[in-house]
């Protein structure tokens, strides 16, 4: 990918191009998760932590977590495996290229909002479904493409990383449930063995025109939670809710960045809102990141949770099937569309104006 010239496919419309200097996002909440380790002995600390997560989800849709309990060595092994993969020759990466029917593996021409992203990616799922006996036309096949011949330790590194991420994801889900006044495991049932959770490895090479292109264009995450590891280069920009300005999320050592996705927005009936974000690139440093997209099972129907709906606060969304929604979003990554991708706004109910 590094040899690509600034093809027009990468050029953002003038109103979406990044500014040369962005303010750092002072105020993105930094949350210490260590009270989780003492949860049995410190109920008040746990409630205070849940309230902190709830406030961050409401005000920003984003927060940074430290002392999160994920072993440092698991993150280091995953990062080393990621760097080794993207350092492979182009033909070895291309041998693992994904396609429309099998959307896992390597890809270097993804589109966000119909503009090509300045990045290359590798997608994998923590839980592979059993091979289908027969695949219906148009059905996606989620089987991992492991680079076992080139990188024998790659699979083990990501299997253990995924396990640690799932543990953290369920803890965060419980904090969000508590913050909404729900029982801690209220949302667990949506994340069974058929969950569509996936891990993406991102590599953003140096870009000759970082003022024209983006590593990932502006978007909101469609799933429930995203837990992101980013290196120390920086480049994640979040749209600040208070004034609509783009601000840079500063890398914090040994941290993860968490953002609530559209599903949490729907479940919470708009109490929490997923945040628009993007990735800027630079002309002299490559950047690596690893988002873990925590998604429910493909059979899940997504709608506001009944405990959060009342006569005073009616449901703001119609129910939609997550599997169908997810497949539609995945397919659009492969080609430029004449219309914007499916969004949760398409399922909003018409509410009377207050």
């Amino acid at each position: 990918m590094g040899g690509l010239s600034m093809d027009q496919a990468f050029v953002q419309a003038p109103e979406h191009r990044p500014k040369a200097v962005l303010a750092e996002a002072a105020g993105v909440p930094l949350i210490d998760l260590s009270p989780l380790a003492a949860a049995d002995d410190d109920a008040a600390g746990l409630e205070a932590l849940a309230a902190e997560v709830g406030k961050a989800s409401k005000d920003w849709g984003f927060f940074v977590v430290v002392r999160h309990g994920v072993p440092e060595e698991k993150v280091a092994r995953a990062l080393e495996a990621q760097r080794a993969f993207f350092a492979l020759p182009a033909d070895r990466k291309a041998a693992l290229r994904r396609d429309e029917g099998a959307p896992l593996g390597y890809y270097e021409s993804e589109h966000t909002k119909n503009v090509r992203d300045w990045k290359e990616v590798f997608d994998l799922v923590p839980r592979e479904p059993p091979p289908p006996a027969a695949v219906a036309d148009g059905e996606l096949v989620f089987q991992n493409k492991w680079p076992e011949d080139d990188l024998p330790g790659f699979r083990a590194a990501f299997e253990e990383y995924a396990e640690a991420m799932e543990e953290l994801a369920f803890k965060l889900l419980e904090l969000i449930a508590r913050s909404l006044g729900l029982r801690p495991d209220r949302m667990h049932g949506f994340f069974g063995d058929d969950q569509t959770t996936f891990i993406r490895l991102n590599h953003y090479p140096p870009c000759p025109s970082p003022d024209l292109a983006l590593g990932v264009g502006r978007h909101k995450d469609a799933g429930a939670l995203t837990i992101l590891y980013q290196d120390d280069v920086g480049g994640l920009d979040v749209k600040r809710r208070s004034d609509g300005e783009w601000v840079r999320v500063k890398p914090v050592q040994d941290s993860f960045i968490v953002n609530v996705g559209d599903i949490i927005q729907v479940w919470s009936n708009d109490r929490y809102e997923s945040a628009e974000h993007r990735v800027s690139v630079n002309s002299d440093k490559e950047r690596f990141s690893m988002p873990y997209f925590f998604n429910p099972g493909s059979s899940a129907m997504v709608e506001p949770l009944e405990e959060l709906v009342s006569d005073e606060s009616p449901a703001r969304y119609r129910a939609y099937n997550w599997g169908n929604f997810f497949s539609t979003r995945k397919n659009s990554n492969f080609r430029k569309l004449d219309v914007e991708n499916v969004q949760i706004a398409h399922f909003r109910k018409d509410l009377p104006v207050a």
Side-chain angles (χ1 to χ4, degrees):
M1 175 155 184
L4 292 168
S5 61
M6 187 45 70
D7 181 317
Q8 283 301 301
F10 292 101
V11 176
Q12 294 283 331
E15 66 271 23
H16 299 309
R17 290 175 192 169
K19 291 178 187 170
V21 179
L22 275 186
E24 278 199 340
V28 168
L30 183 71
I31 299 180
D32 180 344
L33 294 182
S34 57
L36 285 174
D40 294 341
D41 309 315
D42 185 11
L46 195 57
E47 288 309 314
L49 178 59
E52 218 180 327
V53 165
K55 186 173 188 328
S57 300
K58 184 171 186 290
D59 295 348
W60 279 89
F62 259 81
F63 50 97
V64 178
V65 296
V66 293
R67 299 175 73 187
H68 40 67
V70 176
E72 203 177 314
E73 62 275 10
K74 289 191 178 183
V75 180
R77 273 197 290 274
L79 185 59
E80 188 183 343
Q82 176 187 22
R83 287 177 176 269
F85 174 77
F86 287 118
L88 289 174
D91 64 322
R92 300 306 305 147
K93 291 185 285 192
L96 301 170
R97 185 178 274 120
R98 71 190 201 193
D99 57 48
E100 289 197 42
L104 298 176
Y106 176 71
Y107 204 59
E108 77 288 44
S109 54
E110 185 159 79
H111 289 71
T112 302
K113 304 281 187 195
N114 287 331
V115 182
R116 189 170 167 189
D117 298 329
W118 190 267
K119 67 175 179 184
E120 53 180 350
V121 307
F122 185 89
D123 287 346
L124 59 101
V125 290
R127 297 164 184 245
E128 286 190 279
V135 179
D137 187 39
E139 201 171 298
L140 301 179
V141 181
F142 287 93
Q143 296 293 321
N144 285 322
K145 296 183 174 78
W146 298 108
E148 298 192 271
D149 293 343
D150 294 300
L151 305 170
F154 184 93
R155 180 173 185 164
F158 281 104
E159 283 177 343
E160 62 177 28
Y161 182 75
E163 204 175 311
M165 285 293 99
E166 181 173 274
E167 200 175 316
L168 177 58
F170 275 116
K171 288 175 183 173
L172 291 166
L173 204 62
E174 289 186 2
L175 290 170
I176 287 169
R178 285 177 186 272
S179 75
L180 290 165
L182 305 169
R183 70 174 196 274
D185 66 352
R186 172 63 175 91
M187 295 175 274
H188 282 27
F190 295 105
F191 298 86
D193 286 337
D194 68 335
Q195 63 180 251
T196 55
T197 295
F198 71 102
I199 294 174
R200 167 161 292 171
L201 313 182
N202 288 316
H203 174 224
Y204 303 97
C207 176
S209 303
D211 55 327
L212 298 178
L214 286 167
V216 183
R218 73 200 194 287
H219 67 287
K220 295 183 173 192
D221 290 346
L225 282 177
T226 303
I227 305 174
L228 174 79
Y229 170 84
Q230 67 163 349
D231 66 13
D232 59 1
V233 173
L236 176 66
D237 305 334
V238 178
K239 188 176 267 193
R240 190 163 49 199
R241 200 158 286 152
S242 58
D243 58 7
E245 285 294 311
W246 287 103
V247 288
R248 175 71 40 86
V249 181
K250 183 182 177 182
V252 175
Q253 193 169 359
D254 299 328
S255 73
F256 290 104
I257 299 165
V258 180
N259 63 287
V260 301
D262 288 344
I263 287 177
I264 297 280
Q265 180 171 329
V266 173
W267 281 341
S268 74
N269 207 26
D270 281 351
R271 285 168 175 78
Y272 300 158
E273 187 183 335
S274 62
E276 195 166 27
H277 53 289
R278 69 183 188 193
V279 175
S280 292
V281 286
N282 67 79
S283 55
D284 50 37
K285 282 186 178 172
E286 61 181 346
R287 175 177 179 265
F288 295 90
S289 72
M290 297 187 293
Y292 173 88
F293 296 101
F294 192 46
N295 294 336
S298 54
S299 60
M301 294 301 293
V302 180
E303 61 188 317
L305 298 174
E306 58 185 352
E307 300 94 321
L308 302 179
V309 173
S310 64
D311 291 343
E312 299 75 41
S313 180
R316 294 176 174 226
Y317 298 89
R318 302 190 311 278
Y320 61 91
N321 174 260
W322 168 245
N324 292 342
F325 190 98
F326 184 62
S327 296
T328 305
R329 289 284 283 244
K330 272 283 185 196
N331 281 338
S332 73
N333 292 337
F334 291 92
R335 54 182 175 271
K336 195 173 168 102
L337 301 173
D338 294 329
V339 294
E340 182 164 64
N341 209 337
V342 61
Q343 309 287 344
I344 56 168
H346 297 148
F347 298 94
R348 276 191 75 89
K349 292 185 172 185
D350 290 320
L351 296 176
V353 178

